[in-house]
Amino acid sequence: MSDTLTTAPAPTPDTSKTIAAVPKGRTGAARILLGRDAIMIYVLVAFVIYASIAIPRFASPVTVGFLLLDVIPVLLIALPMTLVIITGEIDLSVASIAGLTSALMGVLWAAGWDIGLVLLVSLLAGVLAGAFNGFLVAVVGLPSLAVTIGTLALFRGLALVVIGDNAVANFPPELTSFVTSKIGSTGIPTVMIGVVILALFFGVLLHMTPFGRGLYALGFSREAATFVGITVNRAKFWLYVGTGSVSALAGIYWTLRYSSARSDNASGLELTVIAAVLLGGVSIFGGKGSIPGVIAGVLLIGTINYALRLGRISDVVLIIVTGSLLIASVVAPSVFDALKRWQHDRRVRRSLPQAALGNQPTP
Amino acid sequence: MTQTPATQNPTGTTTAGATASSQKPGQRPSNNRTVGRSVASFMKLRELPVTAALIVLVVVTYAANPLFLSPQGIKDLLLNATIIIILAVGQALVIITRNVDLSVGSMLGLVAFGTGTLFQVMPDIPIIGAFAVGMLFGAVLGAVNGLLVTVAKVPALVITLGTLYIYRGLNNAWAGGTQYFADDRPAAFGSLSVDTVLGFPLITLIAILVVIAVALYMVGTRPGRDLYAIGSDPDAARLFGIPIGRRVFLVFLANGVLAGLAGVLYASRFNSVGANTGLGMELDVVAAAVVGGVAIFGGSGTVVGAAIGAVLLTTITSALTALRVDKFWQQAIVGVLILAAIIIDRLASIRTARKLRVSEARDV
Amino acid sequence: MKLIRNHTGKGKTSRRVASFAAIATSVALIATGCAGGGDTGDGGGGEAGAGGDMSITFIPKQLNNPYTDVVLGGGEEGAKEAGFAATEVVGPLEASASSQVSFINAETQAGTNVIVIAANDPDAVGPALEEARAAGAKIVAFDSDTNPKYRDVFISQVVAKDVALIQVQLIAEQIGGAGEIAILSATANATNQNEWIKFMEEELTSNPEYADIKLVAKVYGDDDDTKSFQEAQGLMQAYPNLKGIISPTTVGIAAAARYLSTSEYKGTVALTGLGLPNEMRPFVKDGTVTEFALWDPAQLGYVAAFAGMALADGSITGEEGDTFEAGELGEREVGENGIVIVGPPTQFNADNIDDYDF
């Protein structure tokens, strides 16, 4: 019985290869070029190239103009939404804030107020709406999903109360034509300048400031964030003020672009924004995501949308494609993770002492 | 020393054990205290606020316009609520396990149009057959959701957002511009939603039976109570040995079946079924569940509460019209109700947590 | 708050590279634009050569709507007869104000010669239509008008006033000349419905025959089946003495009919309006509805297509007095404000409802 203890000496395990405790992350070039954001950007470029070849008239400044004009509201709202989702919260009321802003603009303009004052008050309304959300989520501590479902209904309801079934259309033509004007002959809308500035602002805020990096920590846990130096409640409050204000900007843009203030403007936009943000690589659990990825996600959905319209393919296809993309984008990482884990497990099993002993006769 | 169970039981009331710990084992509590405790636990029922709101609403509207509760009026109220009740029950199941299902509107649309098509293709199919096919169809749709959520371990919010789009797209692709009208379905099927049993609409009875069945399941069976555990603390549930994957899959399947049932009933009650049937219903259903006391983070609330929430929300629309109040206020009021429900829920859980903390400190 | 240093420094770099890549993509997008810059000049004008190369696109309020499908069927037939080389139908799946704009933009870019549109909102589609016109397209509005300055002609199914008068006449007959009535319309902004309602109200106040009829409510079902159904319910509750309902929209009248026929009000409350014969047949047969009106929707699309061709090849400009041939239907004249009338309305009742199939 005790022969095995004295006869053969235990073979030394092969220590020439070290096994990391967890699958190693990529480093260097692989990390940049194969990261989630980069993949989104490749897909976007690939689709743009494909569409330019396959769909007539796609490759022209006119496309850029119309496409960007269509995409701006989603792009605007997606920026602060990224920050909110990274901290593990969510805001479903953004489209309703945009609609409320639009309704306010219509009513105040029809009442004869000066247009500058109208814009200011509408923007302020968005800030207040965001602050209301922020108060309930950050200060009172209510779950953001439920709160923003409630404010989604509340703000859209207020929009209905404010403007009813009417539509206001006679906004100053200088303003409406400015919103749809393009820079020179490039086809890029003039308002893109403002959008790019906002994108840079949120990009820098998230990726290059301690506050932004603290948000990632917040996505993992409150304690981690507090240790990193973030005042959790204050941060969340201001993030919701951010989504509220930017939603108001989107509402103002929407009203001026279509020159129409109605209570149902931007209806349903929140789902498009969330789909685009998730597609752009932001994890719904929080703690992961980036602005460039989100921008790529928004542009991808917008480009597919526009390309299908130009090719006169039914919206039905677009809806199915969006839904499938969304599911694929979240299922694929899970599948890859499972694959990596399986590979790692196999590697570990092969390098363990038992493996080296495997061929010896059992005692 | 009596061990006090630390879990909150499904109706949100603190278990009797928590307050009985100060007594010697074996001693019967005095009658006064039993009555007092019953009243206290009644007041803490999660369903109380929403039921109270419903009663107040009905009474106030009746006082202003007695027609509101005329026999036709009551029938209308009940019939309007039926479909949302069934959907809210399914949604409550899903939310209790800490998930959400945003695709219910699209599922209902698909099944409703499917029912219309079924009667075109097989006009002589018995009505019970149509129900069976519809619910089976719903089961398949729900199973897809369930599989993706459990196997891919992806949050239900994302998955069901994706299937919301995909199912709606399929509905549009299948139906195109075709719409089936009441005439295309057998008269007997259409009159299902008109027939009454002792003055009570038949399909509302079906809805109530569904509520009772599911409620009994949740309270009385092991798998039902497991759902609360999964929603409260998935890690603890896993350690405890609850087969989370299987339970969650079945919950989504059940939600699909209920959405299928609702779809068949929709085809019976309303005039046309087509590509846009059920569009936008999902948020109403989630709102009904939340207003009815189902906590969005899972682990508490009951299907009875969700059903009452559904009745409340549909009654608001009719009440506003009967009161000749501008219908524009309706959505704002719904928003306020949702926020109120969440705040009440939060206050209640803070109070319970404090109570448990105090009682546990006392035990040590 | 201490400044956090990323020790490896790699995070920063990868972020910067990714941002650069995003900017590069945008540049690439713009570059494709510049590369295809030669296309801007072509716009729509290039295609409008000989009459045989013309293209027409229909943009209804909403796809997947049975009434719209009949109109479009007539439109496609008319387009073929009128000589269009390509006919397309595009549109949103939901009838909202701004949803049509991106379709108009796509048509502008594709260089379509004629755009036929039924507007969800008369003004929201304006700027996009102006851009289309600048690119050389002719704009025909049908079914639901846009603001007149954005279109060349408007094809109206019937004289708006006639539609209103007939419905008032029908309801007056059906309620015995006196009582309370209500209107169940589509969306509150719908141009066509609002115009008819305006004429109805004028007629009710000015015509001494209708002095005993009182219009007590106007409700909006948004062309949604469930909503219209509930609005009909609400009407009966809020106005217990209601004797008649006018619903000048096919979705509204069908939903109201379904409600009335399954309630205690069947036979006691009159219902009329504009409905599709196929949808309304069961309700006429079971007595809920006595008589209602409509026109042949296919003719609407048919005439629109011919009007489009006439505009595109220059035979008319949309001025008052212009005339054009509308195929089998004969000559049509452009009236005041650029409006073309298709024909008189038809009344449907138990005697003739089986003769129609739409």
Side-chain angles (χ1 to χ4, degrees):
Chain A
M1 188 184 76
S2 51
D3 283 351
T4 43
L5 288 174
T6 48
T7 43
T12 47
D14 181 4
T15 49
S16 57
K17 291 193 288 254
T18 48
I19 301 164
V22 291
K24 256 199 301 201
R26 299 192 193 91
T27 50
R31 184 167 171 190
I32 301 168
L33 294 175
L34 292 179
R36 185 71 160 80
D37 329 333
I39 293 184
M40 279 313 299
I41 296 176
Y42 299 152
V43 173
L44 175 63
V45 172
F47 187 76
V48 168
I49 295 176
Y50 167 73
S52 308
I53 301 172
I55 298 178
R57 297 175 175 276
F58 184 83
S60 88
V62 182
T63 307
V64 174
F66 286 145
L67 202 163
L68 288 175
L69 282 178
D70 278 345
V71 138
I72 284 177
V74 180
L75 188 54
L76 279 176
I77 302 181
L79 297 169
M81 183 70 90
T82 309
L83 273 67
V84 167
I85 297 189
I86 284 180
T87 57
E89 305 288 350
I90 197 167
D91 188 346
L92 288 175
S93 63
V94 287
S96 302
I97 298 179
L100 179 58
T101 312
S102 182
L104 261 178
M105 272 184 77
V107 164
L108 294 178
W109 176 246
W113 289 32
D114 171 55
I115 188 72
L117 200 57
V118 170
L119 292 178
L120 199 62
V121 172
S122 310
L123 188 57
L124 202 62
V127 172
L128 285 174
F132 183 66
N133 275 334
F135 173 73
L136 288 177
V137 173
V139 177
V140 180
L142 304 175
S144 58
L145 182 63
V147 165
T148 55
I149 288 182
T151 49
L152 177 154
L154 178 63
F155 294 145
R156 184 64 68 180
L158 288 178
L160 270 170
V161 168
V162 161
I163 197 173
D165 273 330
N166 304 318
V168 176
N170 55 343
F171 290 96
E174 318 88 52
L175 215 53
T176 54
S177 53
F178 168 71
V179 167
T180 49
S181 66
K182 317 283 192 315
I183 303 174
S185 59
T186 55
I188 304 177
T190 327
V191 289
M192 274 307 282
I193 300 177
V195 176
V196 167
I197 293 177
L198 260 178
L200 285 172
F201 168 73
F202 280 104
V204 166
L205 181 66
L206 182 61
H207 297 303
M208 299 181 196
T209 61
F211 175 76
R213 276 194 273 269
L215 292 180
Y216 284 102
L218 189 50
F220 281 115
S221 83
R222 284 180 79 96
E223 285 73 25
T226 326
F227 279 118
V228 155
I230 302 275
T231 325
V232 172
N233 287 344
R234 200 149 31 110
K236 286 195 183 174
F237 177 80
W238 285 110
L239 282 182
Y240 276 96
V241 171
T243 52
S245 334
V246 175
S247 304
L249 280 177
I252 292 175
Y253 166 81
W254 188 291
T255 315
L256 290 177
R257 186 213 168 176
Y258 297 109
S259 190
S260 169
R262 297 169 57 116
S263 62
D264 61 359
N265 273 349
S267 190
L269 198 62
E270 68 275 341
L271 292 182
T272 316
V273 169
I274 292 180
V277 168
L278 292 173
L279 191 63
V282 177
S283 165
I284 193 75
F285 293 118
K288 225 192 309 177
S290 75
I291 291 283
V294 166
I295 295 179
V298 171
L299 285 176
L300 182 64
I301 290 190
T303 313
I304 295 179
N305 199 333
Y306 196 82
L308 287 181
R309 293 257 167 90
L310 199 56
R312 302 220 184 85
I313 300 173
S314 166
D315 267 7
V316 172
V317 175
L318 171 72
I319 295 179
I320 299 186
V321 164
T322 310
S324 315
L325 261 181
L326 186 60
I327 293 188
S329 78
V330 286
V331 170
S334 292
V335 170
F336 284 146
D337 279 345
L339 256 170
K340 253 197 292 186
R341 228 175 301 130
W342 178 74
Q343 274 178 337
H344 167 78
D345 285 346
R346 206 172 54 157
R347 227 184 312 141
V348 167
R349 249 178 282 130
R350 253 190 264 138
S351 316
L352 281 179
Q354 283 92 303
L357 280 170
N359 290 330
Q360 292 198 347
T362 48
Chain B
M1 153 134 130
T2 49
Q3 282 291 343
T4 51
T7 49
Q8 208 182 21
N9 94 19
T11 53
T13 58
T14 49
T15 50
T19 44
S21 58
S22 51
Q23 295 179 320
K24 302 197 208 80
Q27 186 185 46
R28 282 195 62 118
S30 69
N31 280 346
N32 280 349
R33 217 144 6 138
T34 324
V35 169
R37 243 206 310 281
S38 312
V39 171
S41 48
F42 175 72
M43 292 302 283
K44 286 194 218 106
L45 272 181
R46 295 186 72 88
E47 294 74 43
L48 194 62
V50 65
T51 322
L54 179 61
I55 295 177
V56 166
L57 178 68
V58 168
V59 165
V60 165
T61 317
Y62 178 68
N65 183 351
L67 254 185
F68 187 61
L69 290 184
S70 69
Q72 178 71 32
I74 297 183
K75 226 171 24 145
D76 287 337
L77 282 177
L78 293 171
L79 283 170
N80 283 343
T82 306
I83 290 176
I84 301 276
I85 287 179
I86 297 178
L87 289 174
V89 166
Q91 191 71 223
L93 280 177
V94 174
I95 296 183
I96 285 175
T97 60
R98 210 185 264 196
N99 291 303
V100 73
D101 188 342
L102 294 177
S103 62
V104 286
S106 308
M107 288 200 278
L108 181 143
L110 268 176
V111 175
F113 187 73
T115 310
T117 318
L118 185 67
F119 280 119
Q120 285 289 100
V121 165
M122 290 203 274
D124 296 320
I125 192 171
I127 294 183
I128 201 83
F131 274 95
V133 170
M135 287 165 75
L136 193 63
F137 192 10
V140 168
L141 297 174
V144 169
N145 280 335
L147 267 174
L148 286 170
V149 171
T150 51
V151 170
K153 295 197 178 45
V154 178
L157 181 71
V158 180
I159 292 288
T160 55
L161 185 59
T163 49
L164 177 156
Y165 282 125
I166 294 180
Y167 291 159
R168 180 58 57 193
L170 287 176
N171 198 351
N172 270 297
W174 186 12
T178 319
Q179 283 190 354
Y180 292 123
F181 306 118
D183 202 22
D184 303 315
R185 303 186 275 284
F189 183 68
S191 60
L192 253 189
S193 49
V194 179
D195 290 344
T196 59
V197 172
L198 304 171
F200 209 74
L202 178 62
I203 56 175
T204 316
L205 270 180
I206 297 180
I208 294 183
L209 283 173
V210 166
V211 173
I212 294 178
V214 177
L216 284 176
Y217 178 80
M218 294 295 282
V219 171
T221 66
R222 170 87 287 174
R225 300 180 75 89
D226 282 350
L227 296 180
Y228 285 102
I230 296 175
S232 296
D233 191 341
D235 295 324
R238 190 173 298 121
L239 286 175
F240 191 65
I242 296 176
I244 295 188
R246 208 188 318 158
R247 297 266 186 268
V248 170
F249 174 78
L250 284 175
V251 156
F252 275 96
L253 186 78
N255 189 32
V257 168
L258 288 172
L261 176 62
V264 176
L265 289 178
Y266 187 99
S268 160
R269 173 154 163 77
F270 291 105
N271 187 30
S272 71
V273 288
N276 286 330
T277 309
L279 195 68
M281 253 190 201
E282 47 280 337
L283 286 177
D284 289 331
V285 174
V286 173
V290 169
V291 167
V294 178
I296 203 82
F297 267 160
S300 49
T302 63
V303 295
V304 173
I308 300 179
V311 173
L312 177 63
L313 288 187
T314 47
T315 310
I316 290 178
T317 323
S318 315
L320 285 181
T321 332
L323 287 173
R324 298 195 203 180
V325 168
D326 221 359
K327 65 170 172 139
F328 298 134
W329 282 99
Q330 187 231 347
Q331 230 187 337
I333 293 179
V334 170
V336 169
L337 276 178
I338 297 177
L339 293 174
I342 308 167
I343 295 178
I344 293 177
D345 172 68
R346 174 89 178 140
L347 291 176
S349 60
I350 291 179
R351 195 166 5 122
T352 326
R354 204 183 314 139
K355 251 232 175 96
L356 284 173
R357 237 199 326 271
V358 166
S359 68
E360 270 172 42
R362 237 186 293 138
D363 267 349
V364 167
Chain C
M1 211 163 34
K2 287 224 178 82
L3 208 60
I4 300 166
R5 296 193 195 289
N6 186 329
H7 291 285
T8 61
K10 287 206 183 91
K12 255 193 209 165
T13 324
S14 78
R15 288 280 161 265
R16 292 222 182 93
V17 172
S19 321
F20 176 73
I23 298 173
T25 312
S26 322
V27 171
L29 203 55
I30 297 165
T32 62
C34 295
D39 278 4
T40 11
D42 287 25
E47 298 282 292
D53 279 343
M54 308 267 220
S55 55
I56 184 172
T57 302
F58 292 89
I59 307 181
K61 281 191 190 176
Q62 168 190 23
L63 294 180
N64 296 346
N65 176 307
Y67 170 77
T68 304
D69 282 350
V70 182
V71 175
L72 293 171
E76 284 171 324
E77 206 188 303
K80 220 183 326 167
E81 278 184 35
F84 280 101
T87 313
E88 299 279 352
V89 173
V90 295
L93 293 174
E94 285 168 51
S96 83
S98 36
S99 55
Q100 293 174 311
V101 170
S102 55
F103 290 100
I104 301 174
N105 288 339
E107 293 312 310
T108 309
Q109 195 171 351
T112 311
N113 301 108
V114 178
I115 297 178
V116 186
I117 182 166
N120 282 321
D121 179 296
D123 294 298
V125 293
L129 287 176
E130 303 251 286
E131 282 204 54
R133 268 173 145 176
K138 300 291 180 197
I139 312 292
V140 176
F142 75 146
D143 190 32
S144 182
D145 203 0
T146 67
N147 190 314
K149 66 182 179 188
Y150 298 129
R151 47 87 171 147
D152 296 311
V153 290
F154 171 54
I155 314 296
S156 175
Q157 36 287 54
V158 290
V159 178
K161 197 152 183 220
D162 285 354
V163 175
L165 292 183
I166 243 193
Q167 293 178 70
V168 174
Q169 193 188 325
L170 286 175
I171 201 76
E173 275 170 33
Q174 290 167 17
I175 64 174
E180 291 183 354
I181 62 169
I183 295 181
L184 168 60
S185 183
T187 55
N189 299 84
T191 337
N192 38 5
Q193 272 91 11
N194 285 348
E195 218 193 336
W196 300 326
I197 294 178
K198 192 180 59 153
F199 283 126
M200 282 190 226
E201 285 176 311
E202 274 175 24
E203 179 70 3
L204 283 171
T205 43
S206 63
N207 192 327
E209 268 181 48
Y210 304 135
D212 295 323
I213 301 181
K214 195 163 151 250
L215 177 65
V216 291
K218 281 183 289 195
V219 293
Y220 302 96
D222 291 348
D223 266 354
D224 176 78
D225 198 32
T226 320
K227 193 135 184 276
S228 307
F229 191 97
Q230 287 175 329
E231 289 293 344
Q233 278 180 349
L235 275 178
M236 296 319 303
Q237 285 208 335
Y239 303 98
N241 295 326
L242 202 64
K243 301 226 8 223
I245 301 180
I246 303 181
S247 189
T249 160
T250 58
V251 177
I253 194 178
R258 177 122 183 95
Y259 173 63
L260 289 178
S261 77
T262 58
S263 75
E264 68 194 29
Y265 304 109
K266 174 173 162 181
T268 57
V269 176
L271 173 66
T272 190
L274 303 173
L276 288 169
N278 280 354
E279 248 188 295
M280 301 302 294
R281 193 168 293 123
F283 304 116
V284 169
K285 296 268 162 92
D286 78 0
T288 317
V289 175
T290 333
E291 203 170 354
F292 63 98
L294 196 67
W295 45 82
D296 187 348
Q299 289 183 354
L300 181 61
Y302 190 80
V303 173
F306 277 98
M309 179 49 95
L311 282 168
D313 67 22
S315 10
I316 67 171
T317 54
E319 290 292 312
E320 189 175 340
D322 278 349
T323 61
F324 64 96
E325 283 293 316
E328 293 174 0
L329 295 177
E331 196 183 76
R332 287 288 182 278
E333 185 180 333
V334 178
E336 195 183 320
N337 224 358
I339 302 183
V340 177
I341 307 297
V342 174
T346 319
Q347 282 166 251
F348 304 96
N349 52 34
D351 297 327
N352 66 357
I353 195 158
D354 286 324
D355 302 335
Y356 300 90
D357 182 21
F358 60 84

